[in-house]
Amino acid sequence: MQLTYVPYHLDQHHPDLAVPLPAGADVTEITVELPAGDVFARLVPLYSAVAGAVAASPETPVVSGDCTVTLAMAAGMLRAGLDPSVVWIDAHGDVQTLETSASGYVGGTALRLLLGYRREAVLDRLGVAPFASDRVLLVDARDLDPPEVEFLASSAVRRVPLSSLPSSLPEGQLLVNVDLDVLAPSALPGARYVAPGGPSVATLVSAVRTILATGRVEGLHIACTWEPGRPDLQSLRGEIIAELLTP
């Protein structure tokens, strides 16, 4: 099994992210010396490197520390001549803006960035046009802030529960982003942003496998949005990753 590993949370390198990758996997780890500047200026060289790896082998799963790496995957897939729709599995909507977010957390804007928010910050620099809203499926998203609810009410982005898969999938090639914080907090201790409710590991794995079984997944990203360290959780985390990456 080939894997691309990006041990970053946004522009912060975390060698201790403690993602237990499957034994025997052929892993390409991407690290970049990031320049000074704001978070977007720092992300672009990292995401350029990720896009290059994805362009060379788009079918190789990518494992990282946050959902914004999906922007880099989109860039790489487009460079490879693919034209995917997006399936975004997440406890959160990730459609905030920095102007409306109470926390100012850039990771909470990840999907909104892919849709064209502040396109000059990342998409334009990666050579990616914004994705059309009607080609994006948001799955679960049970923890939304009021500005996100308002945005989605007027957007063509479809929002569905995990149980609706695979019948609700968009047509064509697929780029699938799985944020592990979609899991119930009891199933994923140590998550950065906990959302009450959520599926079990078995339910999530079953849903992801039904998507993979369509044969239309051209890119798979697993976002390990947990606090770095925590060797006590290594075994549990390893089981989750292995289950998701096993056909």
Side-chain angles (χ1 to χ4, degrees), residues 67 70-71 73-74 77 83-89 110-111 114-115 130-139 157-158 165 168-178 211 216 219:
C67 291
T70 308
L71 278 69
M73 288 195 68
M77 293 175 71
D83 185 25
S85 296
V86 176
V87 179
W88 198 277
I89 303 174
L111 181 53
L114 194 63
L115 293 169
F131 274 62
S133 298
D134 61 1
R135 298 188 63 188
V136 175
L137 183 71
L138 179 58
V139 183
V157 171
R158 289 188 297 130
L165 300 175
S168 57
L169 292 173
E171 296 181 356
Q173 301 162 335
L174 299 175
L175 167 55
V176 180
N177 173 64
V178 182
I211 302 173
R216 296 192 286 121

Side-chain angles (χ1 to χ4, degrees), residues 85-143:
S85 296
V86 176
V87 179
W88 198 277
I89 303 174
D90 201 314
H92 308 94
D94 288 355
V95 290
Q96 269 285 12
T97 70
L98 296 180
E99 292 75 23
T100 60
S101 170
S103 66
Y105 174 55
V106 171
T109 72
L111 181 53
R112 192 72 171 265
L113 288 166
L114 194 63
L115 293 169
Y117 167 67
R118 291 199 180 189
R119 60 178 294 176
E120 74 286 349
V122 180
L123 289 191
D124 286 353
R125 297 180 188 183
L126 294 177
V128 177
F131 274 62
S133 298
D134 61 1
R135 298 188 63 188
V136 175
L137 183 71
L138 179 58
V139 183
D140 193 89
R142 62 187 183 270
D143 187 7

Side-chain angles (χ1 to χ4, degrees), residues 1-5 26-28 50 53-63 73 77 175 217-222 245:
M1 175 190 297
Q2 289 186 308
L3 291 173
T4 298
Y5 178 45
D26 181 5
V27 178
T28 298
V50 175
V54 171
S57 182
E59 71 282 356
T60 300
V62 176
V63 180
M73 288 195 68
M77 293 175 71
L175 167 55
V217 176
E218 300 289 351
L220 174 64
H221 176 224
I222 298 176
L245 293 174

